[in-house]
Amino acid sequence: MAQVLEFKLPDLGEGLTEAEIVRWLVEVGDVVAIDQPVVEVETAKAMVEVPCPYGGVVTARFGEEGTELPVGAPLLTVAVGAPEGLETSGPVTPGPSGARNGSAPSGPSSPSSSSGSSATESSGGSGNVLVGYGTGAPAARRRRIRPDRLDRTPTLSGALTVEAPVPEAPVSEAPESGAPGVPVPAASSTAAPGSVAPVSDGPVPVVSPLVRRLARQHDIDLRRLTGSGPDGLILRADVDCAIRQAEETEAAKTRTARAAAAPTGASPAAASPAASAAPAAERIPLRGVRGAVADKLSRSRTEIPDATCWVDADATELMAVRAAMNAATGPSAGPKVSVLALLARICTAALARFPELNSTVDTEAREIVRLPGVHLGFAAQTERGLVVPVVRDAHTRNTESIGAEIARLTELARTGKLSPAQLTGGTFTLNNYGVFGVDGSTPIINHPEAAMLGVGRIMPKPWVYQGELAVRQVVQLSLSFDHRVCDGGTAGGFLRYVADCVEQPTVLLRTL
């Protein structure tokens, strides 16, 4: 028997609770295979393609591109073995008699009354959507039958109820008593056959995703509206009317406020042009990557008592060593080495000497947790915003290996294909803001880490070298650290060791 299964936005892991639809990969009516990606969503940490655990025909999509959905919200419905013309609409209610028009009996042995897991198995679901999400029991199946099948609609109690296309009823602008601003339907002769039953306590009687989106964009509470459609169905005209009334109410409040603020004796007409000429402030929602960054930085500033120290270093020798590495030919030649890779290797060596900075604070237990391995994060600016990919087990890698991993993660970041696992779990962060042409800053620690090293631009400056004034390649290094995990002596020792390695790269030979 045909089944219409509802696929909900899965748990994407890493504590993510919502995602924004970036691009639909399927259309209504497309045939999808099990585990085929159906939509591309953007979370606070990455863009991912969401596979559907069911195979069949897509009958409905919930949400337009740009819509933000919470985890567990419906994404689409798939008809598994559905006949031609089957679409999603009203709920299927099993009744006492299932022998008419294909409705299933509700007895104990009926397949429709079996557990959600058996329904999933029978539908061919894979059970594997994303990490942190398994295919659960399917939601209540929703169907709509074509108008040419309305004559076959069952009339027995509890049988399948279908919805026929009904023209939108004209909306009366007169509000009901006690419910100002609520559109009411004009009088109609008879209800259309097969109309949806009135909903008094339950889901909002809205079928069209467009109507829901329009209401959401204008902050209209659909539960406060009385629909003008058949049996209270909320139509677009109802939402448009509510929007107009809300705008009129807001305009009246604005006029009242301007009149109250105008000087005594000044007419509202004289004050209106000046007030209307002021441009309105732009409001940008804090969501996606920007929202995640805002939350994390705010938490860092709130919880971590950070301090910053900095030092200027002569990077001339480091740049000469890098040039020699990249100029090598023959068997000793290898991939090009970046400055960031050299600095990352210096950081892992410094953390081995000062493990206090490779730690975190357990506030509930009031304990400092020193971490056994170094998972080095590095700040990367992308079109989607600032992200911090993590090089796993950086303490076990050499400069070439770290550089290769940084290049790989940077490319994934630019294309928006980093997974949440590649953006979490860091223990120390390296921030090379010198690429923006600035000399220094006071980095904000990447919570829950204990420190971050910032690197400014490397540029020619006057420098006293071997007792004489010379032009050298100078860089400013800044270290922000959690004062709970160490004192200034430890932080200063770490930063001084990093500066010594920058000025004399041969110092690293001791630890290689």
Side-chain angles (χ1 to χ4, degrees), residues 417-433:
K417 295 182 179 179
L418 283 170
S419 67
Q422 293 170 320
L423 291 165
T424 54
T427 62
F428 184 91
T429 298
L430 175 62
N431 187 359
N432 181 22
Y433 44 74

Side-chain angles (χ1 to χ4, degrees), residues 250-302:
E250 187 64 26
K253 291 180 180 179
T254 303
R255 288 193 297 268
T256 303
R258 289 176 180 173
T264 304
S267 64
S272 178
S276 60
E282 181 182 6
R283 292 181 175 268
I284 302 174
L286 273 176
R287 63 184 186 184
V289 174
R290 175 51 51 192
V293 170
D295 293 340
K296 185 159 242 186
L297 296 183
S298 299
R299 186 176 182 184
S300 177
R301 281 299 193 200
T302 302

Side-chain angles (χ1 to χ4, degrees), residues 380-472:
Q381 190 70 36
T382 69
E383 293 182 357
R384 298 176 59 241
L386 179 67
V387 295
V388 184
V390 178
V391 178
R392 303 287 172 182
D393 300 316
H395 62 290
T396 65
R397 299 172 181 263
N398 57 26
T399 303
E400 187 174 293
S401 175
I402 292 176
E405 183 66 1
I406 288 177
R408 185 182 73 86
L409 293 173
T410 301
E411 182 59 29
L412 291 176
R414 287 173 179 168
T415 57
K417 295 182 179 179
L418 283 170
S419 67
Q422 293 170 320
L423 291 165
T424 54
T427 62
F428 184 91
T429 298
L430 175 62
N431 187 359
N432 181 22
Y433 44 74
V435 296
F436 303 118
V438 297
D439 296 329
S441 76
T442 55
I444 300 178
I445 299 173
N446 189 18
H447 184 279
E449 299 170 10
M452 176 186 289
L453 179 68
V455 182
R457 60 178 175 172
I458 302 175
M459 62 178 302
K461 286 184 179 181
W463 190 266
V464 177
Y465 177 70
Q466 295 180 352
E468 296 182 357
L469 188 62
V471 178
R472 307 286 287 180

Side-chain angles (χ1 to χ4, degrees), residues 101 146-154:
N101 292 334
R146 296 183 306 179
D148 58 2
R149 300 189 181 183
L150 290 177
D151 57 342
R152 299 169 56 188
T153 303

Side-chain angles (χ1 to χ4, degrees), residues 191-289:
S195 59
V196 180
V199 178
S200 59
D201 185 15
V204 179
V206 178
V207 174
S208 171
L210 179 61
V211 173
R212 290 184 181 273
R213 181 185 182 189
L214 186 64
R216 183 169 55 251
Q217 289 176 342
H218 292 84
D219 295 327
I220 300 298
D221 187 357
L222 292 173
R223 295 185 181 274
R224 299 175 63 89
L225 299 184
T226 300
S228 61
D231 292 327
L233 184 67
I234 297 177
L235 306 176
R236 177 167 182 172
D238 303 325
V239 177
D240 288 338
C241 180
I243 293 172
R244 288 195 301 271
Q245 293 173 353
E247 291 175 348
E248 292 173 359
T249 302
E250 187 64 26
K253 291 180 180 179
T254 303
R255 288 193 297 268
T256 303
R258 289 176 180 173
T264 304
S267 64
S272 178
S276 60
E282 181 182 6
R283 292 181 175 268
I284 302 174
L286 273 176
R287 63 184 186 184
V289 174

